[in-house]
Every structure is written in C-alpha cells, then in structure tokens.
C-alpha cells in the first residue's frame, strides 16, 4: 500500500513542521527531510511534489543551503516558500536582493495573472510576510503571479515545468487563502488524489502490526495519555492479548483518572492491563522534597524502577511498544535548546526491558492525527481529547512538599475546574487547564468564622505546541462558578486566583 507522498525539504524555517501538518490535513502524506538530502535518495523516495521551506539564510551567504544538485530536473513539481522561493529563483538565474526594509506581518496580496496555483483565490487577499531579501528579477520562462506593495514578486511560477515560488507563508493561519494555495499545489499541480486518511492509516497499521508481531509478545507502558492509549488500541486491535500493558499508578494523577484508565482499557476494551499501585512508594520518596527538579527526577527514576519490576514479572517479551509521535522524532534529531524543565516521558524504559525490537505505530503522525486515529478505533472521547498531562502530574502542581492531604485538596479543586470547563463547552478550545495548589495561605471568612487556608490558582492556556502559550480568555461567569464552588466545596481552600501570564515569560506549569 503506497501512498502518494509530498516531500518537505527543511531549510531551517520556524514553520516547517506546520507545512507538513497542513499538507497532511489536505489529504496527502508528507514528510520532512533535511535540505542536504541526496538527490538520489529524493528520487527513490518518489514524491509527487516537493516543498522547499523557508529558512534564516540569505541566498548570497557563504554557506547558504542549496537545492540538492539536479533536483529541479527530475520533473517533480516544486513549491518554494520564502527562502525556498528565493533559492528557486536564484538557482535558475533570477536575481535576489537585500531589501531596504523587510516586510513583516500582514500584507495585501494582489494577483496579476491566473495560474493553477491561484485558482479560487480572490484578486485581493491578506497574506503573511516575513522576509528581508526579495526577488527582483525572475529567471527566464517564469511569470509573476502576484505582488504586494513591498514585494514585486510575491508569487511566481513556470506552469510548464511545474515550478512555483511564494514569498509569503501560506502555511500560517494569518494568510487568508494559504490553505487554498497549498491545496492548489497538491491537487492542481502535483496531481494528488487525497489518499491520506486516518481510516486508511489505521487499517494499514493493523495489518502491518499483525505481520510484524506474528506470535510475538508486546509490552507497553500505558500512561492514560492520548499517545500511549492510541498506540495500545491499535496494537490490541492487531494482535489482541499478545499485548500486555503496564500502568504505573504513581498516585499523583487527577481525580478518577486511574480508575478511568482501568475502566476503559481493561473493562471496555478487554486489554491485558496490569496496574502497579505504587502511590505510597512515590509519596514516601517525595517526603520532604520541595524542589521541582528534584521531584521530577525522583518520580522519573522511581517510575522506571516500578515498571522494571512489573516487566520482570511478565518475563521476556519480543517487542517494546511506545507511543512516540512525529514531532518527537523530528525534535530529537535536532540540537537541544536550553533545558528549562527536565520533561521526563518514559524515557529510560528501553534500557530496563529485555526485548528484541521497538514498535512505534504512531511514529509518522502528528497529535491531531493521533486523535483522529483514536476516534476511528472507537476510543471514548475523554481519552481521545484528554489534555496533555505532565509525567509527574499533580506533584508539580503542588508547590512545595507533596502530601496526601494536599493531593486531595488539589484533586477536588481541579475536578471542579474541569467539570465547569466541560459544561461551558470550552474543553476542546483550551490546550491545558488545571488547578495549582499554591504554598500561600490567606485569611478568609466563612459563616462567622475566620479561616486561614490555601490559595488555589487556576491556569488555562491556549497553544499549538506548548512552546508558546497565551492565557485563555475564559468568560467571567465560568470563572465565577469555578471560584464559588472551589471556595465552598473544597477542604482547605478559601481563595481562588486566575493566572493571566503568557509563555514566555512564564511557563505553562507553575513548577
Ligand atoms: P512548561 O511548563 O514547560 O510546559 O511550559 C510545556 C508542556 O510540557 C508539559 N510538562 C511536562 N511534561 N513531564 C512531562 O511529561 C514534565 O516534567 C513536564 N513539565 C511540563 C506541560 O504540561 C506542558 O504541556
């Protein structure tokens, strides 16, 4: 089963992953490869079209990245975006110059010639620019298709050779007809048929997994999060109870979460799911610890130890399954930026399990695609749409030492927040929303009594990838209901505050 493929050659721009996501959303499978991939490899990959991305360089730079030698003569349609467009023009004999003033942000785009790329796009629309260099002269045989006030060549192409360039960014949401333009490239220029659907993906993966695993045994660490849940459901559909899942319950999950995992995966789906009740061990290990990074380290290490113990009981397995997704794969191939928080996700597991091979059925998927596969497989909505939860869970949402009493207070407050957000129909609009138990106590009054209790902070953010985030504009009435309920119903809480800080400069979690 071969899908049509689009290849995105990565020149280092910040939106490159987004381009790949957009292409997939438009129904064509797509992967990113580095710009210096050999032409032979690209030919063998057999894409129906190639996108050259933006990037931070100037085509005249000493070590500026180049288009792989001979790529433009393969007869494969090409769309250059931003730097990719300049490179395309420059490589074929056009002229790129350094502009006096760059263009950043929204600009009016004016079409000047009809083309397969601009079909269905009005004569004037808004596009989003981010460049200093610009194309001044086009190579022979190319036409200018659109301009902006500051950019004589905003869109250009050679219809016969199927080579196109676009100075603005069609992949960002601010470009009004960006998706239309990308779709035109795929369907009008590359001849896409739109064979990338999550239904196809799930069916194919199930067959592949069945073939690969055969009579072997598979082990998977289930966290309750979307990725491991969907990976488990796919593998279970393929090989049934040759899959064993281990769920380490560290006792730091949100209210009812552990029960929910057991109910859905063992109860409803009938999976062979082992639960390790390690709550007390984790609490003991965390006694007296208030430094966030130490909490993370302790939890990460103990998690692996508990998993190892469970895995030993199961004995030798043939495959270790993981819910790795595409952004993990691409990110881990790049240089690491400064470690702000040491995010542990079951990182060290492969070292403690005796197995022959790793199985990662979601390796090619973006998060939204993982959710769609989950839905295809009939997983309940609560699982598919679960918001991301950090590995150390509530331990890093309790400021200072973690104790059973504090966990109870936070769980109850958090459950109220989640309930009210769901009731208000906001659950899918907010990236993450949770309560934090601060280490401040304040004075309150309840009935005729003075209270001196904890402050609960509410955190809710919108985001696409958690790298940056904005605080969610939750309606006052919803906040009011949450605050009233928490202050009245939750033991040891008498005040509620709402966090209105974006990331940066704050982070999403408080610790
Ligand atoms: P921050 O707080 O760094 O969070 O803005 C960005 C995203 O990462 C999650 N996060 C973690 N995930 N282990 C995890 O698996 C961790 O230690 C951890 N700390 C933060 C956070 O929930 C957000 O989605």
């Amino acid at each position: 089963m071969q899908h049509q493929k689009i290849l995105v050659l990565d020149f280092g721009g910040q939106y490159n992953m987004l381009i790949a996501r957009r292409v997939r959303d438009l129904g064509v499978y797509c992967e990113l490869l580095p710009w210096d991939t050999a032409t032979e490899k690209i030919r063998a990959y057999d894409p129906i079209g190639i996108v050259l991305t933006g990037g931070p360089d100037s085509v005249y730079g000493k070590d500026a990245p180049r288009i792989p030698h001979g790529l433009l003569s393969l007869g494969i349609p090409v769309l250059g975006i931003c730097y990719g467009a300049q490179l395309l023009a420059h490589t074929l004999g056009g002229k790129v110059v350094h502009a006096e003033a760059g263009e950043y942000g929204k600009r009016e785009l004016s079409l000047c010639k009809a083309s397969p790329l601009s079909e269905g796009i009005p004569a004037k629309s808004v596009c989003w620019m981010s460049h200093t260099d610009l194309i001044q002269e086009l190579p022979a045989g190319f036409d200018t298709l659109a301009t902006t006030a500051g950019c004589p060549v905003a869109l250009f192409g050679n219809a016969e050779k199927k080579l196109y360039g676009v100075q603005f960014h069609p992949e960002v949401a601010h470009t009004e007809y960006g998706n239309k333009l990308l779709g035109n490239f795929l369907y009008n220029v590359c001849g896409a048929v739109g064979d990338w659907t999550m239904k196809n993906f799930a069916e194919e993966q199930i067959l592949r997994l069945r073939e690969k695993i055969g009579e072997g045994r598979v082990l998977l660490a289930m966290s309750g999060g979307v990725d491991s849940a969907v990976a488990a459901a796919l593998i279970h559909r393929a090989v049934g109870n040759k899959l064993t899942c281990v769920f380490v319950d560290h006792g730091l999950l949100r209210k009812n979460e552990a029960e929910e995992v057991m109910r859905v995966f063992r109860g409803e789906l009938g999976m062979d799911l082992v639960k390790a009740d390690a709550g007390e061990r984790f609490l003991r290990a965390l006694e007296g610890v208030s430094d966030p990074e130490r909490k993370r380290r302790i939890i990460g290490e103990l998690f692996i130890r508990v998993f190892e113990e469970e895995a030993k009981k199961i004995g030798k397995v043939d495959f270790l399954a993981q819910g790795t997704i595409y952004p993990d794969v691409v990110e881990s191939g790049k240089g690491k930026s400064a470690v702000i928080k040491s995010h542990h996700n079951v990182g060290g597991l492969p070292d403690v399990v005796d197995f022959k091979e790793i199985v990662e059925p979601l390796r090619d998927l973006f998060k939204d695609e993982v959710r769609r596969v989950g839905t295809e497989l009939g997983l309940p909505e609560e699982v598919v749409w679960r918001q991301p939860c950090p590995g150390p869970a509530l331990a890093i949402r309790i400021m200072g030492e973690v104790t059973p009493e504090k966990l109870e207070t936070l769980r109850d407050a958090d459950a109220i927040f989640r309930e009210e957000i769901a009731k208000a129909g906001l659950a899918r609009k907010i990236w993450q929303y949770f309560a934090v138990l601060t280490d401040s106590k304040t004075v309150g009054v309840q009935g005729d009594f003075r209270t001196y209790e904890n402050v609960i902070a509410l955190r809710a953010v919108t985001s696409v990838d958690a790298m940056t985030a904005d605080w969610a504009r939750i309606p006052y009435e919803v906040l009011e209901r949450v605050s009233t309920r928490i202050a009245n119903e939750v033991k040891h809480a008498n005040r509620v505050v709402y966090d209105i800080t974006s990331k940066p400069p704050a982070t999403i979690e408080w610790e």
Side-chain angles (χ1 to χ4, degrees):
M1 280 156 293
Q2 273 294 336
H3 296 287
Q4 289 186 324
K5 289 172 291 197
I6 288 283
L7 179 61
V8 176
L9 274 191
D10 185 350
F11 286 88
Q14 52 179 324
Y15 306 115
N16 298 351
M17 190 82 92
L18 194 56
I19 299 174
R21 274 178 57 182
R22 292 273 186 260
V23 171
R24 297 240 196 130
D25 276 351
L26 288 161
V28 186
Y29 182 68
C30 170
E31 280 189 41
L32 281 157
L33 284 180
W35 64 269
D36 56 356
T37 304
T39 308
E40 256 328 292
K41 189 169 166 194
I42 296 173
R43 192 214 298 266
Y45 185 81
D46 195 22
I48 59 165
I50 298 172
V51 176
L52 314 174
T53 75
D57 293 272
S58 162
V59 294
Y60 293 114
K62 201 164 115 283
D63 297 316
R66 300 274 169 240
I67 295 175
H69 190 71
L71 188 78
L72 300 178
S73 338
L74 293 179
I76 303 171
V78 171
L79 176 68
I81 298 178
C82 198
Y83 178 75
Q86 295 167 3
L87 201 54
L88 182 64
H90 173 74
T91 308
L92 296 173
K95 191 169 172 195
V96 175
V97 295
H98 192 72
E100 292 278 296
E103 272 187 315
Y104 301 95
K106 290 182 183 171
R107 289 288 182 276
E108 188 180 68
L109 182 75
S110 308
L111 295 187
C112 45
K113 189 169 194 290
S115 83
L117 207 61
S118 42
E119 198 182 285
I121 302 178
K124 304 256 183 228
S125 64
V126 173
C127 70
W128 201 82
M129 289 279 193
S130 176
H131 68 108
T132 31
D133 284 3
L134 55 77
I135 299 162
Q136 196 172 54
E137 278 169 33
L138 283 175
F142 280 76
D143 295 316
T144 300
L145 305 175
T147 61
T148 67
C151 187
V153 182
L155 186 65
F156 65 95
N158 179 323
E160 197 189 322
K161 292 192 171 147
K162 301 191 175 183
L163 302 177
Y164 291 91
V166 48
Q167 181 58 68
F168 55 90
H169 287 272
E171 69 277 19
V172 307
H174 311 290
T175 296
E176 251 180 316
Y177 289 88
N179 249 345
K180 183 79 192 138
L181 187 142
L182 285 175
N184 285 345
F185 177 66
L186 302 176
Y187 290 89
N188 295 351
V189 181
C190 303
V193 294
D195 57 5
W196 178 246
T197 66
M198 289 305 106
K199 186 163 185 296
N200 288 348
F201 172 86
E203 283 167 3
E204 281 172 33
Q205 273 302 321
I206 290 166
L207 292 179
R208 263 193 225 169
L209 285 164
R210 212 168 272 160
E211 202 172 295
K212 178 167 184 169
I213 294 166
E215 289 305 308
R217 291 194 62 195
V218 192
L219 178 64
L220 177 141
M222 170 88 83
S223 69
V226 187
D227 302 344
S228 65
V230 174
L234 257 181
I235 299 171
H236 185 251
R237 191 67 78 79
V239 299
N241 283 353
K242 292 191 190 86
L243 166 72
T244 302
C245 297
V246 171
F247 169 42
V248 175
D249 182 3
H250 53 25
L252 305 167
L253 292 176
R254 292 171 293 191
K255 193 166 185 166
N256 296 333
E257 222 166 20
E259 295 76 15
E260 179 91 344
V261 168
M262 295 312 286
R263 185 182 62 75
V264 171
F265 294 96
R266 195 195 281 172
E268 285 181 22
L269 300 176
M271 283 190 196
D272 177 18
L273 172 59
V274 181
K275 178 160 170 264
D277 281 312
E280 281 179 22
R281 275 174 81 180
F282 277 85
L283 272 180
R284 240 178 290 130
L286 288 168
E287 237 170 51
V289 180
S290 43
D291 176 70
E293 284 303 287
R294 260 193 79 205
K295 286 187 202 172
R296 280 193 170 79
R297 217 172 31 250
I298 289 169
I299 295 167
E301 283 167 13
L302 189 52
F303 184 95
I304 290 172
R305 216 171 316 140
V306 175
F307 184 80
E308 183 180 17
E309 288 165 14
E310 291 303 323
K312 281 216 177 95
K313 288 186 209 158
I314 291 163
K316 192 164 164 26
V317 293
D318 304 281
F319 301 92
L320 179 70
Q322 294 196 324
T324 316
I325 68 173
Y326 194 53
D328 306 334
V329 178
V330 176
E331 284 306 319
S332 58
K334 287 191 185 157
K336 270 237 146 110
S337 48
V339 176
I340 311 288
K341 296 178 190 183
S342 56
H343 292 191
H344 93 93
N345 269 334
V346 295
L349 293 191
D351 301 335
V352 299
V353 181
D354 188 13
F355 67 98
K356 285 195 302 223
E357 212 177 320
I358 287 205
V359 184
E360 295 173 316
L362 310 178
R363 240 185 115 78
D364 293 334
L365 301 191
F366 289 109
K367 192 81 165 191
D368 42 339
E369 293 176 314
V370 173
R371 291 197 209 278
R372 294 214 295 274
V373 172
T375 307
E376 284 293 337
L377 293 171
L379 287 180
E381 195 154 311
E382 317 85 81
V383 173
V384 171
W385 283 96
R386 180 156 293 160
Q387 45 170 327
C389 180
L394 301 191
I396 54 164
R397 293 177 180 172
I398 290 174
M399 310 289 92
E401 188 188 2
V402 180
T403 65
E405 297 73 38
K406 288 187 193 171
L407 273 169
E408 194 185 331
T409 302
L410 180 56
R411 271 199 186 107
D412 289 345
D414 186 70
I416 291 175
F417 191 24
R418 286 195 282 151
E419 219 176 283
E420 292 299 331
I421 290 286
K423 264 199 238 156
L426 297 172
R428 291 195 192 179
K429 300 202 175 109
I430 306 177
W431 171 264
Q432 271 177 299
Y433 50 97
F434 52 86
V436 173
L437 179 60
T438 73
D439 51 4
S440 295
K441 286 193 162 200
T442 63
V443 174
V445 55
Q446 256 168 342
D448 293 331
F449 295 98
R450 173 187 188 274
T451 58
Y452 186 56
E453 293 290 6
N454 299 291
V455 179
I456 295 284
L458 303 176
R459 180 70 161 148
V461 296
T462 52
S463 177
V464 242
D465 53 10
M467 300 297 286
T468 60
D470 196 8
W471 57 280
R473 271 51 171 183
I474 297 177
Y476 281 170
E477 309 78 67
V478 179
L479 287 173
E480 183 189 353
R481 271 198 299 280
V482 178
S483 145
T484 309
R485 282 194 59 194
I486 290 178
N488 283 289
E489 295 173 31
V490 178
K491 261 195 275 174
H492 305 303
N494 68 356
R495 191 178 295 266
V496 180
V497 297
Y498 188 50
D499 180 351
I500 52 164
T501 333
S502 62
K503 170 185 181 177
T507 53
I508 295 175
E509 304 289 345
W510 274 40
E511 283 201 334

